[in-house]
Amino acid sequence: MCTAATYKTKDFYFGRNLDYEFSYGDEIVIACRNYPFTFSNGETIQSHHALIGMAYVCDGYPLYYDAINEKGLAIAGLNFVGNAHYNEYKPDKENIAQYELIPWILSTCENVNQAKCKLENLNILNKPFNENLPLAQLHWILADKSECITVESMSDGLHIYPNPAGVLTNNPPFPYQMFNLNNYRNLSPKSPVNTFSKELNLDLYSRGMGALGLPGDLSSQSRFVKVAFTKLNSISGDSEYESVSQFFHILHSVEQQKGCCELENQQYEITLYSSCCNCTKGIYYYTTYNNHQISAVNMHNENLDQNKIIRYPQIQKEQIHYQN
Amino acid sequence: MCTAATYKTKDFYFGRNLDYEFSYGDEIVIACRNYPFTFSNGETIQSHHALIGMAYVCDGYPLYYDAINEKGLAIAGLNFVGNAHYNEYKPDKENIAQYELIPWILSTCENVNQAKCKLENLNILNKPFNENLPLAQLHWILADKSECITVESMSDGLHIYPNPAGVLTNNPPFPYQMFNLNNYRNLSPKSPVNTFSKELNLDLYSRGMGALGLPGDLSSQSRFVKVAFTKLNSISGDSEYESVSQFFHILHSVEQQKGCCELENQQYEITLYSSCCNCTKGIYYYTTYNNHQISAVNMHNENLDQNKIIRYPQIQKEQIHYQN
Amino acid sequence: MCTAATYKTKDFYFGRNLDYEFSYGDEIVIACRNYPFTFSNGETIQSHHALIGMAYVCDGYPLYYDAINEKGLAIAGLNFVGNAHYNEYKPDKENIAQYELIPWILSTCENVNQAKCKLENLNILNKPFNENLPLAQLHWILADKSECITVESMSDGLHIYPNPAGVLTNNPPFPYQMFNLNNYRNLSPKSPVNTFSKELNLDLYSRGMGALGLPGDLSSQSRFVKVAFTKLNSISGDSEYESVSQFFHILHSVEQQKGCCELENQQYEITLYSSCCNCTKGIYYYTTYNNHQISAVNMHNENLDQNKIIRYPQIQKEQIHYQN
Amino acid sequence: MCTAATYKTKDFYFGRNLDYEFSYGDEIVIACRNYPFTFSNGETIQSHHALIGMAYVCDGYPLYYDAINEKGLAIAGLNFVGNAHYNEYKPDKENIAQYELIPWILSTCENVNQAKCKLENLNILNKPFNENLPLAQLHWILADKSECITVESMSDGLHIYPNPAGVLTNNPPFPYQMFNLNNYRNLSPKSPVNTFSKELNLDLYSRGMGALGLPGDLSSQSRFVKVAFTKLNSISGDSEYESVSQFFHILHSVEQQKGCCELENQQYEITLYSSCCNCTKGIYYYTTYNNHQISAVNMHNENLDQNKIIRYPQIQKEQIHYQN
């Protein structure tokens, strides 16, 4: 399904793999500061923080999968099928459609702390964008350079969890994912000491044996463990190039290759795109399944004081550099 | 350490991750047809099949890590530390230094079958290239579009194994690697049926649960299982773009991220480069740890009838495409 | 820590391993029908169903670890350290001390359904039996021949869960244990078909390969999976001998051997005793770590209309039958 | 299939689980010192060390599964299907039928060292005992108080391996089993330190988490790992009672429960019997699947200077001690 992660060097980075069997037609979309957002709670925001993210633009409206704002706050929505539960209108709540959550938060909040306040009174509506689009069942990861949380709207209410791992995948609910990490506490990037038996002269036949037991399949709980281990032990220089490169390597660790996750009717879930946002500088980097070169859109290279959205198509064709 | 794989669509592909903590300075090197090769057995070959591969050029000589020839035969050498055993000169054998094996095979053989004949009388010498270079302990994977073998020179002799999986990593010896795959026979890219108990209504909470149990750590036996599963279940279109893209995705599945495989003195093994050769067309594609864009060198874009080697530096700087 | 399980053939069986580093001095104790039970809620029950179980008798009071009553209802308390939460007195609730729960249920309920009604208004008090005994942190498994539940008093309230697996160990909370079984849905007692790859001729080198992936360590989540698989796939004749024998074999699968679970100060957790109650017939079978022979106490061999408890010491010395 | 192990406290112990779907009718059999043994190499031994072991007596001849002699040397044969290879008569060798191996060794050797000398010239014949009995495919574990070896006759010859783990199961060949233990070097009976990430406060939610990753299924490679871990970390007092009790607990760890290893036609492999020999004192202890009490036969309670075998039937009926 999907994997999201945060990463911090000199700047703060945030991104995700979007894994699915087909694309709605995704674009990199900047919502300029004066592009008006209207929400289901009746509120219209005429002026707001600028946003950049990946979205499917439907009837002129950017349905964001993941986005950051110019203050360095980031959100991604990830599938949470079978556990997500949205509600009818509740008069004493902030009633926001599921597809509005990302702009609702990013347009006005500068950081996770402000977002948490705003989320406290949230009621997510079970209202699809239109009759042709299914109501996506999602949960969210929100992060800034100093904090990360997970938001899950379930049948027993809205949960806001601190997310010390800084990663998110899909099912099961977040407390189960975090609990499961306990089972991997003895894994390490270092070579392990022999504690099996002093009587046996066991051979350290390979580098990397300290993480034996780390799962490598593509199910959501296994990807959570694998990407948490990879991200939390990740080391890179703190330049923009080294940070961005390392972030995409982290996402490679849980990439879905065509053929390895088979659905019905010979369809296959693959990593449609991988993204890495420099939240500090407002740059959206991405690769697609068929284009390994990193492409980038920098929000600050545009006039953000407009009242429109600016759209960039995904570059999906492989860009090979021929040296001869 | 390293992972190599084969892949077949319309054309035949072969490549590898080279995982190590530092690079000797690798280049893409074409050995033209009339570049003379001299071997430890006294033989000099003046005219031969042209080669292209990744090599460290030392004193003007290309020490190939992996290469293909213009007939579509491919070889890669991978670390086999602790198990590789090379020998003193034996008068009744073809005595070839370890570093000469790749050109010795590729310069004269058109396919694996011819290589097997040539290997039958081989004695690999324990002779380093020079006093400054250690004697690398390697084993090899050889492949053409219809056959794949593994070659291991050990203390009990030279072994030539059919390699039906078409992958190779490092330790343990090849028969152990293949035996170990038996333990994963019930893994599948499809969603698994509940056979645990008819009395329990177990939830299929994620896609991809059919491969639960697949290892995800970076040790050599785990990489062997993971890359075998990924490659053998891989599906792609058969165009050049789709094939090459898919091949690099297969290699991503066993990529080594900086920080996740720690050596002594805070050194880390990483995937220095990944390569994908179109063996049918003589094109060498590669990426490096810090450059996600695929670069390519096509041997047939050069005059191959020269008596020299042609060298291309690795493009190691991230090539980002800025869309604005 | 501990493992409990149910088993049904012609009769209904229930039992457990009690795993700990020392024993308080356990005895098989029958509480006859007129042995008066006084509870913290002020209630005294003068006449009740007879009970038989394993208990530490302190100041003449049987502190039951596990017990059944003459109607065929069974309960066992198992460690739930870090998650169990008991409360202060609440005026609108049935206030029962943790150590009173087993007699409070068994003395008056005939089956799980009646117990569920009684549990609805329960408030478990954080009141130790006396100042020398720590307040054990427990959760409970209740079962009769047609139903099984788990009871957990946590900081967010009292939870009563249906337990379709019919087993219990320790941490984590029960919903986590049941969720975790999803990850083993493709395990089976049968030999697995090769779904890894049609291109490989993988060898079925052993019987029993269908359960590869089943955990074998002694941690509580692993024991839950192992005993669930063993019990749910268990097959036996339905005679008393075959049923009881099979039940002890099920418990062997999660037995803790001395040395394999090391605590601090060179102490080791071991399976102090294993029990198997024929709930239909009121017979308590048990073995101890150092006595492999099954011993038995039959409640119906006593006059149950007395007003006292009847105590049998555990037979802990190995009873070997010498054939010559 | 089967699991064998050694154990040393004050005395030396040796035993095994025999796992199969049916029994030929096994008895504890003493071969007295003057019971004549005739071997396929033409040799007849009139006077020899006395033996005790489990055997199927066919036409008056004890076909031993496992046995010890009065000098403290022990052997067990375990299934090795698909890998065992026996041969035609070879004139320059000691030609011994597979079913003769145990008496051939035990009748004349005092220890493993003597056995190794005798094995050097061995040729195991592919000759069944009679036309009704299949030629069992076996390998062997031999042990005395100071040394343990494994003997495997394969298509590439007879192998004699030192066995530092002191355990044996079935396939794959012994070097593969020992290599596989390397993958468990970081397992431990102690609670593990968190090395996954310093940034996460992972919970040690259970005792015994140091061995997470230990396999628990019944396949032969998994049983090898599990019994090796259990035996090598085992701790007990050194009295006869404590040693024997602990040995049976070690065998419980790899016991096969009826239903968990399903063959075709609804047959199930189970642990037909478990044995524990005090090799120092010549006592054969055993339990059967349906009799948990330990039974024992002491060879020194018989007149060993006879010229016959002495047979004791297995006590297979559950011996329950009723306390009331």
Side-chain angles (χ1 to χ4, degrees):
Chain A
M1 310 297 281
C2 293
T3 307
T6 63
Y7 191 58
K8 196 160 181 337
T9 58
K10 205 169 52 189
D11 288 349
F12 176 65
Y13 299 87
F14 176 93
R16 63 98 61 81
N17 285 341
L18 191 138
D19 307 328
Y20 209 58
E21 64 268 31
F22 69 90
S23 168
Y24 281 94
D26 311 330
E27 298 173 284
I28 301 88
V29 180
I30 298 172
C32 296
R33 291 176 188 133
N34 298 310
Y35 171 79
F37 277 115
T38 308
F39 297 105
S40 294
N41 64 355
E43 195 182 1
T44 296
I45 300 183
Q46 292 290 357
S47 177
H48 53 77
H49 308 317
L51 276 61
I52 185 168
M54 195 68 81
Y56 164 48
V57 179
C58 185
D59 301 340
Y61 184 88
L63 294 163
Y64 281 110
Y65 304 143
D66 49 85
I68 61 171
N69 69 17
E70 56 184 309
K71 298 299 179 182
L73 180 60
I75 313 187
L78 290 88
N79 260 331
F80 193 46
V81 177
N83 282 304
H85 181 89
Y86 308 134
N87 307 293
E88 298 297 309
Y89 181 87
K90 296 183 184 172
D92 56 337
K93 291 281 190 179
E94 288 274 26
N95 293 279
I96 295 294
Q98 169 262 108
Y99 62 85
E100 297 168 339
L101 185 68
I102 290 179
W104 186 65
I105 294 291
L106 291 188
S107 59
T108 58
C109 299
E110 298 198 2
N111 51 44
V112 169
N113 206 37
Q114 290 182 5
K116 283 195 288 189
C117 296
K118 204 161 176 182
L119 287 163
E120 256 173 28
N121 201 34
L122 174 66
N123 179 46
I124 303 181
L125 297 174
N126 55 6
K127 171 188 167 188
F129 180 72
N130 67 33
E131 64 273 20
N132 299 318
L133 285 176
L135 181 66
Q137 298 188 59
L138 304 176
H139 58 170
W140 291 269
I141 177 171
L142 280 80
D144 61 30
K145 67 183 174 193
S146 45
E147 192 175 2
C148 184
I149 61 171
T150 295
V151 177
E152 298 187 334
S153 178
M154 294 175 62
S155 56
D156 65 346
L158 187 77
H159 301 282
I160 300 172
Y161 302 106
N163 184 336
V167 301
L168 191 65
T169 63
N170 313 102
N171 288 334
F174 190 69
Y176 287 67
Q177 295 278 26
M178 288 305 293
F179 175 79
N180 185 47
L181 291 184
N182 294 321
N183 294 321
Y184 301 92
R185 61 184 285 125
N186 65 333
L187 269 49
S188 163
K190 293 181 202 276
S191 286
V193 171
N194 171 15
T195 53
F196 188 91
S197 171
K198 278 173 293 188
E199 293 175 48
L200 296 180
N201 185 18
L202 297 175
D203 185 22
L204 210 54
Y205 67 85
S206 173
R207 294 168 168 190
M209 290 175 70
L212 269 164
L214 196 67
D217 66 285
L218 300 179
S219 71
S220 47
Q221 201 174 45
S222 296
R223 279 185 283 109
F224 193 97
V225 178
K226 169 87 171 165
V227 77
F229 181 80
T230 305
K231 173 244 160 117
L232 290 164
N233 290 293
S234 192
I235 284 172
S236 72
D238 63 2
S239 74
E240 183 70 355
Y241 276 157
E242 290 166 299
S243 304
V244 170
S245 171
Q246 183 71 4
F247 193 91
F248 282 104
H249 284 300
I250 294 170
L251 291 181
H252 285 175
S253 73
V254 288
E255 194 180 87
Q256 299 200 202
Q257 297 84 12
K258 190 170 182 189
C260 293
C261 180
E262 186 172 346
L263 314 178
E264 306 209 339
N265 305 317
Q266 293 195 292
Q267 287 193 294
Y268 300 94
E269 187 165 287
I270 61 169
T271 297
L272 292 171
Y273 72 82
S274 302
S275 66
C276 168
C277 301
N278 181 324
C279 303
T280 313
K281 292 199 174 67
I283 308 170
Y284 195 100
Y285 300 93
Y286 71 94
T287 59
T288 66
Y289 194 77
N290 282 320
N291 183 14
H292 290 66
Q293 186 185 25
I294 299 170
S295 300
V297 177
N298 185 334
M299 72 191 300
H300 296 295
N301 286 351
E302 304 294 335
N303 172 9
L304 295 175
D305 290 324
Q306 302 178 81
N307 62 355
K308 60 172 191 177
I309 60 171
I310 308 171
R311 302 161 61 170
Y312 304 83
Q314 278 189 355
I315 298 176
Q316 296 190 334
K317 192 182 159 200
E318 196 71 73
Q319 302 296 309
I320 296 176
H321 174 79
Y322 295 95
Q323 289 186 258
N324 75 342
Chain B
M1 309 296 281
C2 292
T3 307
T6 64
Y7 190 58
K8 195 161 181 338
T9 59
K10 205 169 51 188
D11 288 347
F12 177 64
Y13 298 87
F14 176 93
R16 65 98 60 83
N17 285 341
L18 191 138
D19 307 327
Y20 210 58
E21 64 269 31
F22 69 91
S23 167
Y24 281 94
D26 311 330
E27 299 172 284
I28 302 88
V29 180
I30 298 172
C32 295
R33 291 175 187 134
N34 299 310
Y35 172 79
F37 277 115
T38 309
F39 297 106
S40 295
N41 64 354
E43 193 182 4
T44 296
I45 300 183
Q46 292 290 356
S47 177
H48 53 77
H49 308 317
L51 276 61
I52 185 169
M54 195 68 81
Y56 163 49
V57 179
C58 186
D59 302 340
Y61 184 89
L63 295 163
Y64 280 110
Y65 304 142
D66 50 84
I68 61 172
N69 68 16
E70 55 183 312
K71 299 297 180 182
L73 179 60
I75 313 186
L78 289 87
N79 260 331
F80 193 47
V81 178
N83 281 303
H85 181 89
Y86 308 134
N87 307 293
E88 297 297 309
Y89 181 86
K90 297 182 183 173
D92 56 338
K93 291 281 190 179
E94 288 275 26
N95 293 280
I96 294 294
Q98 169 263 108
Y99 62 86
E100 297 168 338
L101 185 69
I102 290 178
W104 186 66
I105 294 292
L106 292 187
S107 58
T108 59
C109 300
E110 297 198 1
N111 51 44
V112 169
N113 206 37
Q114 290 183 5
K116 283 195 289 190
C117 296
K118 203 162 177 180
L119 287 163
E120 256 173 29
N121 202 34
L122 174 66
N123 179 47
I124 303 182
L125 298 173
N126 54 6
K127 170 188 168 190
F129 180 72
N130 67 32
E131 65 273 21
N132 299 318
L133 285 176
L135 181 66
Q137 298 188 60
L138 303 176
H139 58 170
W140 293 269
I141 177 172
L142 279 80
D144 60 30
K145 67 183 174 194
S146 44
E147 192 176 1
C148 183
I149 61 171
T150 295
V151 177
E152 298 187 334
S153 179
M154 295 176 61
S155 57
D156 65 346
L158 188 77
H159 302 281
I160 299 173
Y161 302 106
N163 184 337
V167 300
L168 191 65
T169 62
N170 313 102
N171 288 336
F174 190 68
Y176 287 67
Q177 295 277 25
M178 288 305 292
F179 175 80
N180 186 47
L181 291 185
N182 294 322
N183 294 321
Y184 301 93
R185 62 185 283 123
N186 65 334
L187 268 48
S188 164
K190 294 180 201 278
S191 286
V193 171
N194 171 15
T195 53
F196 188 90
S197 170
K198 279 173 293 189
E199 294 175 48
L200 296 181
N201 184 18
L202 297 175
D203 186 22
L204 210 54
Y205 68 84
S206 173
R207 294 167 168 192
M209 290 175 70
L212 269 163
L214 196 68
D217 66 285
L218 300 178
S219 71
S220 48
Q221 201 175 44
S222 296
R223 279 186 284 109
F224 194 97
V225 178
K226 169 88 172 167
V227 78
F229 181 81
T230 304
K231 174 244 161 119
L232 290 164
N233 290 292
S234 192
I235 284 172
S236 73
D238 63 3
S239 73
E240 183 72 354
Y241 276 157
E242 289 165 299
S243 304
V244 170
S245 171
Q246 183 72 4
F247 194 91
F248 282 104
H249 284 300
I250 293 170
L251 290 181
H252 285 175
S253 73
V254 287
E255 194 180 87
Q256 299 200 202
Q257 298 83 13
K258 190 170 182 187
C260 293
C261 181
E262 186 172 347
L263 314 177
E264 306 210 339
N265 305 316
Q266 293 194 293
Q267 286 192 296
Y268 300 94
E269 187 164 284
I270 62 169
T271 297
L272 293 171
Y273 72 82
S274 303
S275 66
C276 168
C277 301
N278 181 324
C279 302
T280 313
K281 294 200 173 68
I283 308 170
Y284 195 101
Y285 300 93
Y286 70 94
T287 59
T288 66
Y289 194 77
N290 282 319
N291 183 15
H292 290 68
Q293 187 185 25
I294 299 169
S295 300
V297 176
N298 185 334
M299 72 192 299
H300 297 295
N301 287 350
E302 304 294 336
N303 172 10
L304 295 175
D305 290 325
Q306 301 178 83
N307 63 355
K308 61 172 190 177
I309 60 171
I310 307 172
R311 302 162 59 171
Y312 303 84
Q314 278 189 354
I315 298 176
Q316 297 191 333
K317 191 182 161 199
E318 196 71 74
Q319 302 296 309
I320 295 176
H321 174 78
Y322 295 95
Q323 289 184 258
N324 73 343
Chain C
M1 309 296 282
C2 293
T3 307
T6 64
Y7 190 59
K8 196 162 181 336
T9 59
K10 205 170 51 188
D11 288 348
F12 177 64
Y13 298 87
F14 176 94
R16 65 97 60 83
N17 286 342
L18 192 139
D19 307 328
Y20 209 57
E21 65 268 32
F22 69 92
S23 167
Y24 280 94
D26 311 331
E27 299 173 283
I28 301 87
V29 180
I30 297 172
C32 295
R33 292 177 187 130
N34 299 311
Y35 172 79
F37 277 116
T38 308
F39 297 106
S40 294
N41 63 356
E43 194 182 1
T44 296
I45 300 184
Q46 291 291 357
S47 176
H48 53 77
H49 307 318
L51 276 61
I52 186 169
M54 194 68 82
Y56 164 48
V57 179
C58 185
D59 301 340
Y61 183 88
L63 294 163
Y64 280 110
Y65 303 142
D66 50 84
I68 61 171
N69 68 16
E70 55 184 311
K71 299 297 179 182
L73 180 59
I75 312 186
L78 291 87
N79 260 330
F80 193 46
V81 177
N83 281 303
H85 181 89
Y86 308 134
N87 307 293
E88 298 297 309
Y89 180 86
K90 295 181 184 174
D92 57 337
K93 291 280 190 180
E94 288 275 26
N95 293 280
I96 295 293
Q98 169 263 108
Y99 61 87
E100 297 167 339
L101 185 68
I102 289 178
W104 186 66
I105 295 291
L106 291 187
S107 58
T108 59
C109 300
E110 297 199 0
N111 50 44
V112 169
N113 206 37
Q114 289 183 5
K116 282 196 289 190
C117 296
K118 201 161 179 183
L119 287 164
E120 255 173 29
N121 201 33
L122 174 66
N123 180 47
I124 303 181
L125 298 174
N126 54 7
K127 170 187 168 190
F129 180 72
N130 67 31
E131 65 272 20
N132 299 318
L133 285 176
L135 181 65
Q137 298 188 60
L138 304 176
H139 57 171
W140 292 269
I141 178 171
L142 280 80
D144 61 30
K145 67 183 173 192
S146 44
E147 193 176 0
C148 183
I149 61 171
T150 296
V151 177
E152 298 186 335
S153 178
M154 295 176 61
S155 56
D156 65 346
L158 187 77
H159 302 282
I160 300 173
Y161 302 106
N163 184 337
V167 300
L168 191 65
T169 62
N170 313 102
N171 287 335
F174 190 68
Y176 286 67
Q177 295 277 27
M178 288 304 293
F179 174 80
N180 185 48
L181 291 184
N182 294 321
N183 294 322
Y184 301 93
R185 61 184 284 124
N186 65 333
L187 269 49
S188 164
K190 293 180 201 277
S191 286
V193 171
N194 171 15
T195 53
F196 188 90
S197 170
K198 280 173 293 189
E199 294 176 46
L200 295 182
N201 184 18
L202 297 175
D203 186 22
L204 209 55
Y205 67 85
S206 173
R207 294 168 168 190
M209 289 175 70
L212 268 164
L214 195 68
D217 66 284
L218 300 178
S219 72
S220 47
Q221 202 175 42
S222 296
R223 280 185 283 110
F224 193 97
V225 178
K226 169 88 172 167
V227 77
F229 181 81
T230 305
K231 174 245 160 122
L232 290 164
N233 290 293
S234 193
I235 283 172
S236 72
D238 63 2
S239 73
E240 183 71 354
Y241 276 156
E242 289 166 299
S243 305
V244 170
S245 171
Q246 183 71 4
F247 194 91
F248 281 104
H249 285 300
I250 293 170
L251 291 181
H252 285 174
S253 73
V254 287
E255 193 180 87
Q256 300 201 202
Q257 298 83 13
K258 191 170 183 188
C260 293
C261 180
E262 185 173 346
L263 314 178
E264 307 209 338
N265 305 316
Q266 294 195 292
Q267 287 193 294
Y268 301 93
E269 187 166 286
I270 62 169
T271 297
L272 293 171
Y273 72 82
S274 302
S275 66
C276 169
C277 302
N278 181 325
C279 302
T280 314
K281 295 202 172 67
I283 308 170
Y284 195 100
Y285 299 93
Y286 70 94
T287 59
T288 66
Y289 194 77
N290 282 320
N291 182 14
H292 290 67
Q293 186 184 26
I294 299 170
S295 300
V297 177
N298 185 336
M299 71 192 298
H300 296 296
N301 286 351
E302 304 294 335
N303 172 11
L304 294 176
D305 290 324
Q306 301 179 82
N307 63 355
K308 60 172 189 176
I309 60 172
I310 307 172
R311 301 161 61 170
Y312 303 84
Q314 279 189 354
I315 298 177
Q316 297 191 332
K317 193 183 161 201
E318 196 71 74
Q319 302 295 310
I320 295 176
H321 174 78
Y322 294 94
Q323 290 184 258
N324 73 343
Chain D
M1 310 297 282
C2 293
T3 307
T6 63
Y7 191 58
K8 195 161 182 338
T9 58
K10 205 170 50 188
D11 288 348
F12 177 64
Y13 298 88
F14 176 94
R16 65 98 61 83
N17 285 342
L18 191 139
D19 307 328
Y20 210 57
E21 64 268 31
F22 69 91
S23 168
Y24 281 94
D26 311 330
E27 299 174 282
I28 301 86
V29 180
I30 297 172
C32 295
R33 292 179 188 130
N34 299 311
Y35 172 79
F37 276 115
T38 309
F39 297 105
S40 295
N41 64 354
E43 193 182 4
T44 295
I45 301 184
Q46 293 290 359
S47 176
H48 53 77
H49 307 317
L51 276 61
I52 185 169
M54 194 68 81
Y56 163 48
V57 179
C58 185
D59 302 339
Y61 184 88
L63 294 163
Y64 280 110
Y65 304 142
D66 50 84
I68 60 171
N69 69 16
E70 56 184 310
K71 297 299 179 182
L73 180 59
I75 312 186
L78 290 87
N79 260 330
F80 193 46
V81 178
N83 282 303
H85 181 89
Y86 308 134
N87 307 293
E88 297 298 309
Y89 181 87
K90 296 182 184 172
D92 57 336
K93 290 281 190 180
E94 288 274 26
N95 293 280
I96 294 294
Q98 168 263 109
Y99 62 86
E100 297 168 339
L101 185 69
I102 289 178
W104 186 66
I105 295 291
L106 292 188
S107 58
T108 58
C109 300
E110 298 198 1
N111 50 45
V112 170
N113 206 38
Q114 289 183 5
K116 283 195 289 189
C117 296
K118 202 160 179 182
L119 287 164
E120 256 173 30
N121 201 35
L122 174 65
N123 180 47
I124 303 181
L125 297 174
N126 55 7
K127 171 188 168 189
F129 181 72
N130 67 32
E131 64 272 20
N132 299 318
L133 284 176
L135 181 66
Q137 298 188 60
L138 304 175
H139 57 171
W140 293 268
I141 177 171
L142 280 80
D144 61 28
K145 68 182 174 192
S146 44
E147 193 175 1
C148 182
I149 61 171
T150 296
V151 177
E152 298 186 335
S153 178
M154 295 175 62
S155 57
D156 65 345
L158 187 78
H159 301 282
I160 300 172
Y161 302 106
N163 185 336
V167 300
L168 191 65
T169 62
N170 313 101
N171 288 334
F174 190 68
Y176 287 67
Q177 294 277 28
M178 288 304 293
F179 174 79
N180 186 47
L181 291 185
N182 294 322
N183 294 321
Y184 301 93
R185 61 184 283 123
N186 66 333
L187 269 48
S188 163
K190 294 180 200 277
S191 286
V193 171
N194 171 15
T195 53
F196 188 91
S197 170
K198 278 173 293 189
E199 293 175 48
L200 296 181
N201 184 19
L202 297 174
D203 185 22
L204 210 54
Y205 67 84
S206 173
R207 293 167 168 191
M209 290 175 70
L212 268 164
L214 195 67
D217 67 285
L218 301 178
S219 71
S220 48
Q221 201 175 45
S222 296
R223 280 185 283 108
F224 193 97
V225 178
K226 169 87 172 166
V227 77
F229 181 80
T230 305
K231 173 242 160 121
L232 290 164
N233 290 293
S234 193
I235 284 172
S236 72
D238 62 3
S239 74
E240 184 71 354
Y241 276 156
E242 289 166 299
S243 304
V244 170
S245 171
Q246 182 72 4
F247 194 90
F248 282 104
H249 284 299
I250 293 170
L251 291 181
H252 286 174
S253 73
V254 288
E255 193 180 88
Q256 299 200 200
Q257 298 83 14
K258 190 169 184 189
C260 293
C261 181
E262 185 172 347
L263 314 177
E264 307 209 338
N265 305 317
Q266 293 194 292
Q267 287 193 294
Y268 300 94
E269 186 165 286
I270 61 169
T271 297
L272 293 171
Y273 71 82
S274 302
S275 66
C276 169
C277 303
N278 182 325
C279 302
T280 313
K281 295 201 171 67
I283 308 170
Y284 195 100
Y285 299 94
Y286 70 94
T287 58
T288 67
Y289 195 76
N290 282 319
N291 183 14
H292 290 67
Q293 187 185 23
I294 300 170
S295 299
V297 176
N298 185 335
M299 72 192 300
H300 296 295
N301 287 350
E302 304 293 334
N303 172 8
L304 294 176
D305 290 324
Q306 302 178 83
N307 62 355
K308 60 172 190 175
I309 60 172
I310 308 171
R311 302 161 61 170
Y312 303 84
Q314 278 189 355
I315 298 177
Q316 296 191 335
K317 192 182 161 202
E318 196 71 74
Q319 302 296 311
I320 295 176
H321 174 78
Y322 294 96
Q323 290 185 259
N324 73 341

